Amino acid sequence: MEVRDLLRERRHELGKTQEEVAREAGMNVTQYNGYERGRSMPSPVTLPRLAKALQTTPEALLHRSPVRPVHGEAKGDVLRRLRGQFRAQVATELDLVPDDVIIRIEIL
């Protein structure tokens, strides 16, 4: 199932309109409509806001389990990608801009 289908399905499960989801995610309805129609994809910054408005997780909207390395992706690249995604999600949850959030990952 594609992101557009998952967005629409979850919105319907909650009984929300596109306007309600867009408002709760801090965007205009045209932008949200583009996601549901598959004309564009939510950015890593936008996805957590949509997930919050739809009472789910970004991973669920992407229909994937926890992030795993893409074939050939170095571990350092995976960590940078995960840190960026988590930074965006934390910023959204705390109503901050991502530049105000620093994420430190320690592997023991």
Side-chain angles (χ1 to χ4, degrees):
M1 195 177 285
E2 294 185 34
V3 172
R4 66 183 183 180
D5 301 318
L6 293 166
L7 289 169
R8 185 179 306 112
E9 182 179 282
R10 184 64 184 147
R11 180 175 60 80
H12 286 167
E13 286 174 0
L14 295 172
K16 292 185 177 187
T17 65
Q18 286 188 352
E19 291 82 6
E20 290 170 323
V21 173
R23 185 183 64 251
E24 292 172 20
M27 65 184 65
N28 65 53
V29 70
T30 303
Q31 181 181 3
Y32 179 77
N33 181 273
Y35 299 144
E36 274 201 15
R37 289 181 177 259
R39 289 189 305 243
S40 58
M41 283 287 293
S43 72
V45 173
T46 304
L47 194 62
R49 294 187 346 228
L50 286 171
K52 185 176 179 182
L54 292 169
Q55 301 170 17
T56 189
T57 65
E59 292 78 19
L61 291 178
L62 294 174
H63 198 255
R64 65 179 184 204
S65 54
V67 179
R68 302 202 188 292
V70 176
H71 180 71
E73 187 176 25
K75 290 180 182 179
D77 293 335
V78 173
L79 288 174
R80 278 187 285 283
R81 181 167 46 87
L82 290 173
R83 185 176 55 219
Q85 291 171 349
F86 187 59
R87 180 180 179 196
Q89 185 174 357
V90 168
T92 299
E93 293 289 327
L94 298 176
D95 198 27
L96 300 168
V97 295
D99 289 341
D100 291 341
V101 178
I102 296 173
I103 301 296
R104 179 176 162 189
I105 299 174
E106 292 185 38
I107 298 176
L108 306 175

